[in-house]
Amino acid sequence: MKEILSIVKIGGNVIENADELDQFLLNFSQLEGPKILVHGGGKLATKLASRLGIESQLANGRRITDAKSLEIITMVYGGLSNKNIVAKLQALDTNALGLSGADGNAIQAHKRPVKNIDFGFVGDIDGINSKLLDTLLQAGITPVFCAISHDGKGQLLNTNADTIASEIAIGMSSIYDTTLYYCFEKKGVLMDVEDGESVIQYINTKTYSDLLEKEVIADGMLPKMENCFHALQNNVGKVCIGDISMLQPNAKLFTTLTL
Amino acid sequence: MKEILSIVKIGGNVIENADELDQFLLNFSQLEGPKILVHGGGKLATKLASRLGIESQLANGRRITDAKSLEIITMVYGGLSNKNIVAKLQALDTNALGLSGADGNAIQAHKRPVKNIDFGFVGDIDGINSKLLDTLLQAGITPVFCAISHDGKGQLLNTNADTIASEIAIGMSSIYDTTLYYCFEKKGVLMDVEDGESVIQYINTKTYSDLLEKEVIADGMLPKMENCFHALQNNVGKVCIGDISMLQPNAKLFTTLTL
């Protein structure tokens, strides 16, 4: 029997709200067993960029990460958010340690190749340093990742936090029985997007294709679900989607995905 | 025989100059054996604060770290400088991992008590997590510290980088034979401050009191020297002061301090 490892991703909406972040971190700190946190960005970087008069660069309507944006992201998510989350977790007796993908060569990536759009300093992940993460976990440490990877040639790369979480879960599945949690502002995958309580509690490959056919799942939820099934197809045991209350021991209303 | 551990501190002047930083990191990466880097701040944070219209707060002419300054410091040193140094060291085949004192509870501190001046969020160090650092070093990792500690209650604290370096060296001396290097813009402790080549190559407790008497050592150099002797009196084997060339194997011109 492998030990259970929880990989939890929180979105930018949670990070931006101080009260919600504190509540989340309390729930996270009480989660038993080894665990890893991945935090997304949110609008903090955009706000700082705007204060500095740096405009978002777009290409074909898609945001791109130029050198200045990458600096802002590294400051805000790699510095401000990451270090404050770590300090708060320490106060909750969780021995957190903040990481970007460059730290300990934790997440190896390459700059996304230019096809129609040059996304700039955006990373596509090649691999996870599961040995490093296992060493840290075995030492009682809780790794806390910001959404930055590196190319091994000295370049930091802005990287999707959902993808970092799923790739970490996949990479750790050879050593641990992994559960991947996506915490966001909703209670789960909704049957009716207008009804926040209409949570679909279980989704598997079969019901997922039904939901797709009925167009229940669309737009922003699609890439997230693809990420989830990609993880499940690569040995991640279980994926859960919900709001921050999902991590509480008595939580009932959230979505669980299995193959 | 204990293994030799090198603890290297670089000042803000080195960090600010991209070419000098690259040369330093090359020298540092070639330093044999386990090693730890501590980087100071420099003017990057002041520059960002000024761009954001945040004024330095002074009390009795001394700079204080208010909440906004601490945010800037956390972004610039904990994020931008630290992650870029780590990424560059990775490219030089040094498995660097960036840390603040909150990460892994590496540096425990308390907010400096208010006497005549309230310095704000400034930390005085209580202890070093030598077990964590040894675990990382044994895993082939090179810890890279920014000058931030924490109070264990969720508060990050701006902390003097020279002191962090000496406290780490002291804390690791029970496990390793430690050498502490202070890299700055000069070639060493100078006999004549106007002559950059007039390096005093060896200083011990006896010659130090002679130099103090003759007022050769004064002003900015005094706290640095006090830090050095504090380290030596607490089991650090050797302290070296010089510019970035000091780390090269054939380096000759720098200052070595022993008891």
Side-chain angles (χ1 to χ4, degrees):
Chain A
M1 274 279 288
K2 290 179 192 168
E3 195 176 3
I4 292 172
L5 170 67
S6 306
I7 299 97
V8 182
K9 187 256 168 177
I10 39 165
N13 290 340
V14 178
I15 296 226
E16 278 163 24
N17 181 323
D19 289 344
E20 196 151 353
L21 178 59
D22 285 348
Q23 184 60 52
F24 165 80
L25 292 175
L26 182 63
N27 294 350
F28 177 76
S29 71
Q30 290 170 350
L31 197 61
E32 283 190 27
K35 53 199 172 193
I36 295 173
L37 179 59
V38 180
H39 61 88
K43 301 187 190 78
L44 287 168
T46 317
K47 280 180 194 165
L48 179 63
S50 147
R51 284 179 67 191
L52 291 170
I54 297 168
E55 283 178 33
S56 288
Q57 299 295 316
L58 301 174
N60 296 6
R62 301 282 295 268
R63 180 171 304 192
I64 63 164
T65 305
D66 61 2
K68 281 182 183 173
S69 305
L70 183 68
E71 277 196 6
I72 301 272
I73 286 164
T74 309
M75 288 199 287
V76 175
Y77 304 135
L80 192 61
S81 299
N82 191 265
K83 297 308 154 202
N84 275 300
I85 288 172
V86 166
K88 280 167 186 273
L89 283 172
Q90 288 288 345
L92 294 163
D93 285 332
T94 292
N95 194 5
L97 190 153
L99 297 166
S100 74
D103 296 295
N105 193 26
I107 308 170
Q108 302 106 31
H110 60 272
K111 187 174 176 296
R112 184 170 297 167
V114 178
K115 289 178 187 166
N116 299 321
I117 301 175
D118 182 355
F119 285 98
F121 297 108
V122 166
D124 288 331
I125 297 174
D126 296 316
I128 296 295
N129 188 345
S130 53
K131 187 160 169 270
L132 168 78
L133 293 180
D134 190 38
T135 299
L136 296 177
L137 293 167
Q138 294 294 332
I141 287 167
T142 297
V144 175
F145 278 94
C146 63
I148 295 172
S149 64
H150 81 136
D151 70 356
K153 298 171 199 154
Q155 182 64 56
L156 297 168
L157 295 165
N158 186 15
T159 305
N160 182 277
D162 280 10
T163 312
I164 286 184
S166 64
E167 291 297 329
I168 288 175
I170 291 167
M172 297 309 286
S173 291
S174 58
I175 313 174
Y176 292 88
D177 181 357
T178 52
T179 300
L180 174 58
Y181 295 90
Y182 283 113
C183 281
F184 70 152
E185 64 280 12
K186 290 176 185 162
K187 289 187 174 168
V189 181
L190 301 178
M191 200 66 198
D192 173 4
V193 78
E194 302 293 316
D195 177 4
E197 302 294 315
S198 66
V199 173
I200 307 168
Q201 291 196 272
Y202 296 97
I203 301 178
N204 61 26
T205 317
K206 168 76 181 66
T207 56
Y208 180 55
S209 56
D210 291 350
L211 290 167
L212 279 181
E213 207 168 294
K214 290 176 192 156
E215 294 181 0
V216 172
I217 291 164
D219 301 333
M221 208 59 187
L222 270 177
K224 202 177 267 288
M225 299 298 284
E226 278 167 23
N227 236 332
C228 294
F229 279 101
H230 172 69
L232 291 170
Q233 282 151 6
N234 287 279
N235 306 316
V236 173
K238 192 168 76 169
V239 183
C240 301
I241 301 181
D243 66 16
I244 58 170
S245 67
M246 167 172 63
L247 296 185
Q248 289 165 353
N250 58 350
K252 281 177 186 154
L253 201 59
F254 57 90
T255 303
T256 301
L257 293 95
T258 55
L259 275 187
Chain B
M1 273 284 285
K2 290 178 189 167
E3 196 176 4
I4 292 172
L5 170 66
S6 305
I7 298 98
V8 182
K9 187 256 169 175
I10 39 165
N13 290 339
V14 177
I15 296 224
E16 278 163 24
N17 181 322
D19 289 344
E20 195 152 352
L21 178 59
D22 285 348
Q23 183 61 51
F24 166 78
L25 293 175
L26 182 63
N27 294 351
F28 178 77
S29 71
Q30 290 170 349
L31 197 61
E32 284 190 28
K35 53 200 171 191
I36 295 173
L37 179 60
V38 180
H39 60 86
K43 301 188 190 74
L44 287 166
T46 316
K47 281 181 192 163
L48 180 63
S50 146
R51 283 179 68 192
L52 291 169
I54 297 169
E55 283 178 34
S56 288
Q57 299 296 316
L58 301 175
N60 296 6
R62 301 281 296 268
R63 180 171 302 190
I64 64 165
T65 306
D66 61 2
K68 282 184 182 172
S69 304
L70 183 67
E71 278 196 6
I72 301 273
I73 285 165
T74 309
M75 290 199 284
V76 175
Y77 304 135
L80 192 62
S81 299
N82 191 265
K83 297 309 154 201
N84 275 300
I85 287 172
V86 166
K88 281 168 186 272
L89 283 173
Q90 288 288 344
L92 293 164
D93 285 332
T94 292
N95 194 6
L97 190 152
L99 297 167
S100 73
D103 297 294
N105 193 27
I107 307 170
Q108 302 109 29
H110 61 272
K111 186 171 175 297
R112 182 170 300 168
V114 178
K115 288 180 190 167
N116 299 320
I117 303 175
D118 182 355
F119 285 98
F121 297 108
V122 166
D124 288 330
I125 298 175
D126 296 317
I128 296 295
N129 189 343
S130 53
K131 188 160 168 271
L132 167 79
L133 293 180
D134 190 39
T135 300
L136 296 176
L137 292 167
Q138 294 294 334
I141 287 166
T142 297
V144 175
F145 279 93
C146 62
I148 295 172
S149 64
H150 81 137
D151 70 356
K153 299 171 199 156
Q155 181 63 57
L156 298 168
L157 295 165
N158 185 16
T159 305
N160 181 276
D162 280 10
T163 311
I164 287 184
S166 63
E167 291 296 328
I168 289 174
I170 291 168
M172 298 307 286
S173 292
S174 58
I175 314 173
Y176 292 88
D177 181 357
T178 51
T179 300
L180 173 58
Y181 294 90
Y182 283 113
C183 281
F184 70 151
E185 63 280 12
K186 291 177 184 159
K187 289 188 175 165
V189 181
L190 302 179
M191 200 65 200
D192 171 7
V193 77
E194 301 293 316
D195 176 4
E197 302 294 314
S198 66
V199 173
I200 307 168
Q201 291 196 270
Y202 297 98
I203 300 179
N204 62 25
T205 315
K206 167 77 181 65
T207 56
Y208 180 55
S209 56
D210 291 349
L211 290 167
L212 280 179
E213 207 169 298
K214 289 176 193 157
E215 293 181 2
V216 172
I217 292 164
D219 300 333
M221 208 57 186
L222 268 177
K224 202 177 265 292
M225 297 298 284
E226 278 167 22
N227 237 333
C228 294
F229 278 101
H230 173 69
L232 291 170
Q233 281 151 5
N234 287 278
N235 305 317
V236 173
K238 191 168 75 171
V239 183
C240 302
I241 301 181
D243 67 15
I244 59 170
S245 68
M246 168 173 62
L247 297 184
Q248 288 166 352
N250 58 351
K252 282 179 187 151
L253 202 57
F254 57 90
T255 303
T256 301
L257 293 93
T258 56
L259 275 187

